[in-house]
Amino acid sequence: MGRFMILATATLVGLAARHASADDPEPASSADETFLLGRALLKDKRYAEACPKFQQSQAQDPASGTLLALAYCQELSGLLATAWSSYLAAARLAEHEGHADRQAAASERAQALAARISSVTLNVPPELLELPGFRVSRDGVELERASFGVPIPLDGGSHVFVATAAGRVSWTNTVTLRSESDQKTLLLPLLGLPEPAPIAAAKESPKTAAPPAADSGKGDSSVTLKRASLVLAAGSLVGLGLGSAFALSAKSQNDESNANGHCDGTGCDPRGVDLRNDALSTARISTWTFVASGALAAASITLYLEALHSSSDKKHAAQVQANVSLVGPRVFLSGSF
């Protein structure tokens, strides 16, 4: 089985092609076909398409010639660090295969690229090395500790370094390199401790329930006014009953003063006078009670009508105080309507 190997530079390496004999009856393998496609793309300077073909061919059937072609393609693509690594791999594989010419060519190209490769030197303080779980990754790939403190060959572009350790705040840094001859040094800082968690707020005291909002609105005030009117109506009925009772008592006392000759057309004896005075006092109380009962009835009607027709959003309140004494009846009606 043969391979085409293209290895060229403008001044150091000439073009070389190796393939199986034209009389070789063995049909081309899939790896050979893929390799030939890569070579055609490489000649057309379509490096972004050619390099993957060489990688595919190498995966199908590893060979030093294919690795040389891949390394050369990567070099032309500007991926100098990757090409340098591929040249070294090709030299080792060629030595293993017994291809001294390929080994020499690959080693020469690797040596030539070494001075042009960009790199990052990662300096790690000894304190970090002692931290449990300490590790550093570059572009998502963990770095071996042997790479600390020495130049790490890298292709041009941006590379993300992340350092982590158990119980420490992680550190991230992005380094941007030119594609050629750009050497930078990165010093890892001491990883800090995470900030303490906020102290849990004291247990909130139970919120005091807000007092019930005062009844407002047309509906609530209407109910209140109706209830007040019923209370006044009941008071009026009680007043009517008391007034009637006092009236009957006054009539009875007056009738008694006229009986047994205590009073006649000429006057009254002492007993008759007492009975007449008692009858008058009782009659006054009856009168005042009827007046108070009427006032309560009027207030009851007023509140009921207000409850039916009120359109105010404010709370309606009413107070009624009635007092009957020997001085005279007193009825108080207060509120907002």
Side-chain angles (χ1 to χ4, degrees), residues 68-226:
L68 278 170
L70 174 60
Y72 181 57
C73 182
Q74 292 166 339
E75 180 181 354
L76 294 178
S77 299
L79 305 176
L80 301 188
T82 302
W84 174 76
S85 178
S86 295
Y87 278 131
L88 292 178
R92 292 191 297 269
L93 183 56
E95 181 183 13
H96 178 73
E97 294 174 343
H99 293 294
D101 51 349
R102 293 180 182 178
Q103 179 186 357
S107 299
E108 184 178 353
R109 290 309 305 147
Q111 184 178 359
L113 286 182
R116 300 169 52 198
I117 296 174
S118 296
S119 66
V120 172
T121 300
L122 190 64
N123 291 332
V124 181
E127 296 88 341
L128 291 179
L129 299 176
E130 298 174 358
L131 294 178
F134 174 72
R135 56 174 51 90
V136 181
S137 65
R138 187 260 304 160
D139 299 332
V141 179
E142 184 175 352
L143 298 177
E144 297 292 337
R145 295 198 174 196
S147 65
F148 297 165
V150 297
I152 303 173
L154 294 173
D155 295 323
S158 296
H159 301 277
V160 180
F161 291 81
V162 179
T164 59
R168 299 293 179 127
V169 178
S170 62
W171 171 88
T172 302
N173 190 285
T174 300
V175 178
T176 301
L177 297 173
R178 295 189 298 271
S179 60
E180 187 171 342
S181 302
D182 190 8
Q183 284 73 41
K184 293 185 177 179
T185 299
L186 192 59
L187 176 62
L188 266 65
L190 297 178
L191 301 182
L193 294 171
E195 294 183 4
I199 299 176
K203 185 177 181 181
E204 294 184 3
S205 56
K207 294 183 179 180
T208 304
D215 289 340
S216 61
K218 182 176 179 180
D220 292 342
S221 62
S222 175
V223 172
T224 301
L225 292 175
K226 286 182 179 180

Side-chain angles (χ1 to χ4, degrees), residues 240-251:
L240 288 176
L242 291 176
S244 298
F246 283 122
L248 292 175
S249 177
K251 181 177 183 307

